[in-house]
Amino acid sequence: MSLRCCVFLAVVVDFVTAMLIRSTGLNLQMAYNQSLKSLGLVRLLENSELILSGDIAALVYLWNPFTIISCVGLSTSPIENLVIMLSLYGACTRRVPLAAFGWVLATHLSLYPAILIVPVILLLGTDISAQGIANQSVQPMLFSWKPVVFFTLWACMWAFYVLVLCAISVKQYGGLREMFKRTYWFILTVEDLAPNIGVLWYFFAEVFDFFRNFFLIVFHVNILFMLLPLAIRLNHRPCFLAFVYIAIASMLKSYPSVSWRFGLYMGLLGLFINELAGKYAVIFLPLLRIVGVSLLSPVMHNLWIWRGTGNANFYFATAMAYACLQIILVVESVGAMLNHDRKLRKLSATAA
């Protein structure tokens, strides 16, 4: 009975997450329409058939096989996805306490969502009606620091509240220091080298101990090095920037899960189906290949672990192919979005 309750709870959590994705998509679609009007492209808005991106994104998330697998496997990933979407939805709707609550809980659960503070701040600091404008010289984006200050205060308050509750609950198990050692430090040091769908386990199983700390720094700092350039280039599209950040973190995460690796960010990608129209072939070709690799991965795992007719390279090859296809998907998506903005810029200059 308890097992059924856990599965039902995971389904409910995923359903709430899908509704948050849908609401975020509605806000982004309104912003997209207003940005076209502000650029003088009303005729383009009237002639084009815009798809309800929020509905499509919610369905993509709910019916994603990886999302379903995480529910059946009783993973905590649905809860992580929920708090991440709470943060993005709160930032889109200017609900500062909700955005801070979601961001703090997401960081507490998985550490890697901490990088989402950049798109959350951009969402809070800029008006939703001004986001998505391709030509910022026509209508400059005004940034307000007041919501960001409120977000910082609320985040500090929620973080203090979470730490107090954690200190009370783990007091008899060594306190907060032991909790940090067994959670965040465990994530950063990659101590568990059990095979997973990521790529770090194989690398650190083969690397010499003398170079281990060096490559730990390289892998973790690699994520941080991408934050600023992407934020500068995509500062007018904070939600799309959040999708890119989540996709990058899912590739370089120490212990990735199927829901985080392919579930959540595919739902976020569905929010931009109107902007990415015309690039379906470029984007969905890697998706089809990812599906093929995903089907091949358990076969290679079975050959290596259970049948003993293969070796670690069999399984690791599928993980490497998976990561490479994700990189292609992200790069093509960013390129398609920038081409879309460039096209709007040219149409705006022609209309002017």
Side-chain angles (χ1 to χ4, degrees):
M1 185 64 180
S2 59
L3 181 62
R4 294 181 180 179
C5 290
C6 292
V7 174
F8 178 75
L9 179 62
V11 172
V12 171
V13 169
D14 272 335
F15 182 79
V16 175
T17 303
M19 292 300 100
L20 290 175
I21 292 176
R22 180 179 181 274
S23 300
T24 304
L26 293 177
N27 290 324
L28 290 177
Q29 190 141 14
M30 291 173 56
Y32 180 69
N33 295 343
Q34 292 179 15
S35 67
L36 291 180
K37 293 178 181 178
S38 65
L39 292 172
L41 302 176
V42 181
R43 184 176 299 177
L44 177 63
L45 183 61
E46 295 174 350
N47 295 336
S48 60
E49 297 181 1
L50 296 180
I51 305 172
L52 296 177
S53 59
D55 295 340
I56 298 297
L59 290 175
V60 168
Y61 177 78
L62 279 178
W63 292 102
N64 193 320
F66 294 93
T67 305
I68 298 174
I69 289 174
S70 66
C71 287
V72 176
L74 300 180
S75 171
T76 58
S77 296
I79 300 177
E80 296 178 24
N81 297 342
L82 174 62
V83 291
I84 288 173
M85 282 312 305
L86 275 177
S87 179
L88 294 178
Y89 173 75
C92 281
T93 56
R94 291 294 187 90
R95 292 180 171 88
V96 178
L98 183 62
F101 175 76
W103 180 77
V104 168
L105 276 188
T107 304
H108 171 68
L109 291 175
S110 184
L111 185 62
Y112 288 93
I115 63 177
L116 294 179
I117 192 172
V118 178
V120 167
I121 287 177
L122 291 175
L123 283 168
L124 291 172
T126 55
D127 187 6
I128 186 68
S129 62
Q131 293 169 9
I133 296 176
N135 191 355
Q136 299 181 24
S137 61
V138 176
Q139 185 175 346
M141 291 175 58
L142 300 177
F143 191 86
S144 174
W145 287 99
K146 186 176 180 181
V148 178
V149 174
F150 286 154
F151 172 81
T152 305
L153 295 176
W154 275 103
C156 292
M157 188 192 74
W158 287 123
F160 176 76
Y161 186 66
V162 169
L163 288 177
V164 169
L165 291 180
C166 290
I168 295 173
S169 62
V170 301
K171 183 178 180 180
Q172 58 181 342
Y173 300 106
L176 287 178
R177 182 175 181 178
E178 187 67 19
M179 187 196 77
F180 290 145
K181 180 181 178 181
R182 293 181 178 271
T183 53
Y184 305 137
W185 186 250
F186 183 80
I187 292 174
L188 294 175
T189 55
V190 198
E191 296 177 3
D192 185 6
L193 300 180
N196 54 60
I197 60 175
V199 296
L200 297 190
W201 65 272
Y202 185 88
F203 183 86
F204 286 106
E206 298 294 333
V207 73
F208 292 110
D209 291 338
F210 179 78
F211 299 103
R212 179 180 174 83
N213 292 334
F214 170 75
F215 283 107
L216 279 174
I217 296 173
V218 169
F219 274 105
H220 292 308
V221 173
N222 192 24
I223 299 177
L224 300 179
F225 279 163
M226 301 181 192
L227 299 185
L228 184 59
L230 288 170
I232 294 174
R233 196 66 183 89
L234 297 171
N235 62 351
H236 61 292
R237 292 192 178 274
C239 277
F240 186 76
L241 180 64
F243 150 73
V244 176
Y245 281 179
I246 291 175
I248 291 174
S250 69
M251 286 183 282
L252 298 176
K253 203 176 179 184
S254 302
Y255 308 104
S257 62
V258 291
S259 181
W260 235 78
R261 186 113 194 231
F262 197 64
L264 178 61
Y265 79 79
M266 280 310 303
L268 292 177
L269 181 61
L271 295 175
F272 307 97
I273 191 170
N274 290 308
E275 291 89 334
L276 301 178
K279 296 292 183 179
Y280 295 138
V282 177
I283 294 175
F284 283 100
L285 187 59
L287 287 181
L288 294 176
R289 292 174 178 172
I290 287 175
V291 172
V293 172
S294 301
L295 295 175
L296 191 62
S297 182
V299 176
M300 294 301 180
H301 186 272
N302 180 268
L303 290 175
W304 173 35
I305 299 296
W306 299 107
R307 297 183 180 275
T309 56
N311 54 44
N313 294 326
F314 282 50
Y315 184 66
F316 180 67
T318 60
M320 282 293 294
Y322 199 87
C324 292
L325 290 172
Q326 279 185 303
I327 294 172
I328 295 174
L329 176 63
V330 172
V331 171
E332 294 294 345
S333 301
V334 173
M337 182 64 74
L338 294 179
N339 287 334
H340 171 78
D341 290 345
R342 196 176 299 114
K343 187 181 297 184
L344 284 185
R345 192 182 304 119
K346 292 181 180 178
L347 291 175
S348 176
T350 304

